[in-house]
């Protein structure tokens, strides 16, 4: 095995002695030991940016792919392609399902000179009833030389003299904002995109986090239960960062000896992107990019939601801060006031409340099955899947966290995503989604921590053939492990992935312009 060639280009700022013995390792994306060039820039005491160009254009090109198909469809395609005298390959997926089940076959056609030629062939095959997608082979998850455009923030939490925070878009649950805007608004020195979110109103409130959100110690969005979580604790002099592989929330309305379980916090009733909620249907388990529903819910709201309560058929109860009932009626779309809480009851949900007794809203958060005490300075977000647990890549945990290719759901038509990775026409399950979302290369953002309390935040840009190909979920785990992390979590990716430093992106967006997102992880320099 040849030695990796590593070229480090230094900025004008002098190297600090504490960092001089650390160099970027082989990041283990694509083939091993690819050439890497590195530009290093010190941002603040204990915070450093590394911009890495890894690999080079190789023998990749445009291909046609069926994605995962059933054995019956495989045989049909084989017969028809042979009859048409078209060369093809039948490939296995690059990994098994999380619990070891082999995924279905994939048929690929190669040998095209450019994207247009591949598209023309796909159109001809479609006219004959054969569905193929045009893809660039380096992004299929198979062995490649890249290239890869990677940005890494290395933050020594023992030395960093600023704060690491999570900023909510527009400081509200509803609405989205670019990372660039949040970096500017919060006067941050760097920032990356954060958790998953509702990408349009058909799946929830546009821009709202899809999972737990704790803001300065207050739970303002319920968890997608059993998803991993990252906790930023700014209650002390220095930021502390903690991870959990599973987060759960339990919320109740109480009055005297009576207690009623709350279904959701600050969201439109009846829509729960990624499922994992109390009484969510058809499942209470997390299912990524799938919209669960429930016609009968209890949802609570406060001023973090937006300007008005949702315009839905519901009974609405208004409480003042003492818990007194101010109003109990069928009037909705109420202007939200900062000193009040609002409760909407849909379907057959009823509350039997008495006047004169205070009504309380009780929220509990559990991380890895232990209750976590919320306090000012605490922020929580969720995404996933977990990339590293105790230094290992936990492929099997993906199923429990929402990436199970075989969920026990009869109707899979509620699958929704914003990157074109939903079910293929042939799917009897979510094998196609799993292969597309997890095993193919896409832009990715991830965060991890070492035993020495060094935090790494990485963005691998992608979907830009011959410039940057992206990474698989397993490759992001390998990258974090190469950096020395023992715990790591995947964040939102695709068109959301971006790192902003000095007000500018460190790479090229996969969308035409920077995507608006729900939240951002920001580095705030000490005043």
């Amino acid at each position: 095995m040849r030695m990796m060639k590593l070229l480090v280009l230094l900025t004008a700022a002098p190297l600090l002695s504490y960092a001089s013995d650390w160099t970027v390792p082989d990041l283990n994306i694509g083939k091993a030991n690819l050439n890497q060039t590195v530009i290093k820039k010190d941002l603040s005491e204990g915070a450093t940016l590394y911009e890495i160009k890894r690999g080079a254009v190789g023998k990749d090109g445009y291909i046609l792919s069926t994605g995962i198909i059933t054995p019956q469809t495989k045989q049909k395609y084989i017969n028809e392609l042979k009859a048409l005298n078209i060369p093809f390959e039948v490939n296995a997926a690059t990994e098994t399902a999380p619990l070891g089940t082999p995924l279905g076959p994939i048929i690929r056609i190669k040998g095209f000179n450019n994207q247009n030629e591949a598209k023309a062939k796909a159109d001809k095959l479609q006219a004959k009833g054969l569905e193929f997608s045009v893809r660039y082979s380096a992004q299929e998850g198979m062995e490649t030389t890249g290239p890869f455009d990677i940005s890494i923030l290395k933050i020594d939490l023992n030395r960093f003299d600023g704060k690491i925070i999570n900023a909510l878009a527009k400081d509200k649950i509803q609405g989205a904002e670019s990372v660039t805007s949040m970096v500017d608004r919060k006067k941050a020195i760097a920032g990356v995109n954060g958790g998953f979110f509702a990408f349009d109103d058909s799946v929830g409130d546009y821009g709202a986090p899809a999972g737990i959100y704790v803001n300065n110690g207050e739970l303002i969005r319920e968890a997608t239960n059993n998803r991993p979580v990252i906790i930023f604790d700014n209650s002390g002099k220095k930021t502390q960062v903690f991870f959990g592989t599973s987060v759960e929330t339990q919320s109740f309305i109480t009055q005297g000896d009576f207690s009623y379980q709350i279904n959701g916090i600050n969201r439109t009733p009846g829509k729960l992107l990624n499922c994992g909620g109390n009484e969510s249907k058809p499942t209470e388990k997390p299912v990524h990019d799938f919209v669960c529903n429930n016609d009968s819910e209890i949802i609570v709201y406060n001023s973090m939601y937006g300007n008005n309560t949702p315009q839905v058929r519901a009974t609405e109860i208004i409480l003042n801060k003492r818990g007194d009932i101010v109003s109990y009626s069928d009037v909705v779309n109420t202007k939200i006031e900062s000193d009040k809480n609002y409760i909407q009851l849909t379907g057959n949900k009823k509350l039997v409340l008495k006047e004169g007794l205070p009504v309380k809203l009780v929220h509990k958060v559990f991380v890895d099955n232990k209750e976590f005490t919320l306090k000012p300075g605490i922020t929580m977000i969720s995404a996933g899947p977990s990339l590293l647990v105790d230094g290992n890549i936990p492929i099997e945990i993906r199923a429990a966290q929402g990436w199970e290719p075989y969920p026990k759901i009869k109707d899979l038509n509620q699958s929704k995503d914003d990157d074109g990775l939903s079910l293929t026409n042939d799917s009897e399950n979510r094998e196609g989604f799993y292969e597309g979302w997890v095993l193919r290369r896409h832009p990715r953002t991830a965060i991890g921590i070492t035993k020495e309390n060094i935090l790494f935040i990485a963005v691998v840009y992608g979907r830009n053939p011959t410039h940057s190909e992206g990474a698989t979920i397993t490759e992001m785990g390998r990258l974090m492990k190469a950096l020395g992390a023992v715990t790591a979590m995947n964040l939102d990716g695709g068109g959301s992935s971006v790192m902003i430093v000095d007000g500018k992106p460190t790479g090229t967006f996969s969308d035409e312009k920077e995507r608006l997102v729900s939240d951002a992880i920001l580095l705030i320099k000490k005043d």
Side-chain angles (χ1 to χ4, degrees), residues 230-384:
I230 183 168
I231 304 161
F232 300 97
D233 184 351
N234 283 296
S235 62
K237 292 183 178 180
K238 289 185 177 293
T239 300
Q240 297 184 74
V241 180
F242 306 99
F243 292 77
T245 59
S246 176
V247 66
E248 179 185 353
T249 52
Q250 296 179 7
S251 297
F252 301 90
I253 297 168
T254 67
Q255 187 185 52
D257 295 331
F258 292 93
S259 178
Y260 305 89
Q261 189 160 21
I262 294 168
N263 298 100
I265 304 170
N266 288 323
R267 68 167 170 86
T268 297
K271 296 178 183 178
L272 186 56
L273 179 62
N274 299 334
C275 304
N278 171 43
E279 297 182 325
S280 62
K281 300 175 181 178
T283 180
E284 292 187 347
K285 295 181 179 180
V287 182
H288 190 65
D289 278 352
F290 189 93
V291 180
C292 275
N293 54 60
N294 187 355
D295 293 334
S296 297
E297 291 193 302
I298 299 176
I299 311 291
V300 299
Y301 304 89
N302 60 24
S303 59
M304 291 301 297
Y305 177 66
N307 295 326
N308 295 77
T309 59
Q311 178 72 57
V312 295
R313 180 175 293 180
T315 298
E316 187 167 286
I317 303 168
I318 304 175
L319 307 175
N320 62 23
K321 286 299 182 183
R322 294 189 304 271
D324 301 323
I325 299 172
V326 175
S327 173
Y328 196 129
S329 72
D330 293 334
V331 177
V332 295
N333 195 33
T334 309
K335 180 177 175 58
I336 294 177
E337 299 177 26
S338 61
D339 63 344
K340 292 182 175 62
N341 288 302
Y342 302 78
I343 304 169
Q344 285 193 344
L345 313 174
T346 63
N348 60 20
K349 290 293 185 182
K350 304 291 182 185
L351 293 184
V352 179
L353 301 176
K354 298 179 180 179
E355 292 189 13
L357 282 177
V359 178
K360 296 181 181 179
L361 304 180
V362 179
H363 303 294
K364 295 182 179 181
V365 177
F366 298 85
V367 177
D368 295 333
N369 298 315
K370 295 181 180 179
E371 187 170 357
F372 188 96
T373 301
L374 298 180
K375 59 183 178 180
I378 295 288
T379 301
M380 291 186 185
I381 64 167
S382 182

Side-chain angles (χ1 to χ4, degrees), residues 8-11 13-20 22-24 38-52 150-157 159-161 164 189-190 454-458 483 499 501 506 523:
V8 180
L9 306 178
L10 302 181
T11 59
L15 279 173
L16 299 176
S17 59
Y18 74 87
S20 62
W22 192 87
T23 57
V24 176
V38 180
I39 298 176
K40 175 182 179 292
K41 180 178 182 181
D42 293 317
L43 303 180
S44 177
E45 176 73 14
T48 307
L49 168 68
Y50 297 87
E51 296 181 87
I52 301 112
I150 305 167
S151 296
I152 295 174
L153 289 170
K154 178 176 180 279
I155 306 118
D156 185 342
L157 296 177
R159 302 180 61 92
F160 181 56
D161 56 0
I164 302 171
I189 57 175
I454 308 298
L455 189 71
F456 286 100
I457 305 175
L483 292 171
M499 182 180 291
V501 178
T506 59
L523 274 66

